[in-house]
Amino acid sequence: MKTIKEVAHQFNVTYDALRYYEKEGLLAPIQRDAQGRREYSTADLDALSKIVHLRALGASIADIKAFSVLFQQADITPESYDTGIAFLQDLDHQL
């Protein structure tokens, strides 16, 4: 488990950005310790890594939400993959 300070440093983001990603639902609710401080798990760090990389590619918060929904479904369809690939290609062309 990592603290908000450690995570902010690791991903070069602000505490406010981390709280915002959680508030917007990009990150699942972060576990808290007995004092109410956030404790980030490995799964949280994996999700945050995706968010930070997509933001670096120019994706908006709305884009990241839509992209995440595609791959959170129980039955991922070929159309979901095609949509995800098209989204990533669009970001690539914007660079």
Side-chain angles (χ1 to χ4, degrees):
M1 300 298 254
K2 290 193 174 194
T3 66
I4 194 169
K5 181 178 180 179
E6 293 168 327
V7 173
H9 180 73
Q10 178 179 341
F11 289 98
N12 196 31
V13 297
T14 65
Y15 299 169
D16 288 337
L18 292 170
R19 291 183 196 109
Y20 180 73
Y21 295 153
E22 183 180 359
K23 180 181 142 209
E24 288 298 311
L26 297 177
L27 289 173
I30 304 300
Q31 181 178 328
R32 307 285 181 123
D33 67 11
Q35 290 78 36
R37 295 179 294 223
R38 288 172 172 83
E39 295 183 315
Y40 291 83
S41 68
T42 303
D44 297 327
L45 298 178
D46 290 344
L48 183 59
S49 178
K50 291 173 191 167
I51 294 165
V52 169
H53 283 93
L54 287 169
R55 292 290 289 155
L57 291 171
S60 70
I61 297 299
D63 289 338
I64 296 170
K65 282 182 182 180
F67 185 76
S68 296
V69 167
L70 286 174
F71 298 103
Q72 289 177 350
Q73 303 167 17
D75 295 322
I76 299 174
T77 65
E79 291 79 20
S80 294
Y81 281 109
D82 291 344
T83 302
I85 290 169
F87 168 71
L88 293 173
Q89 287 173 336
D90 287 343
L91 288 177
D92 185 47
H93 291 302
Q94 292 175 22
L95 293 178

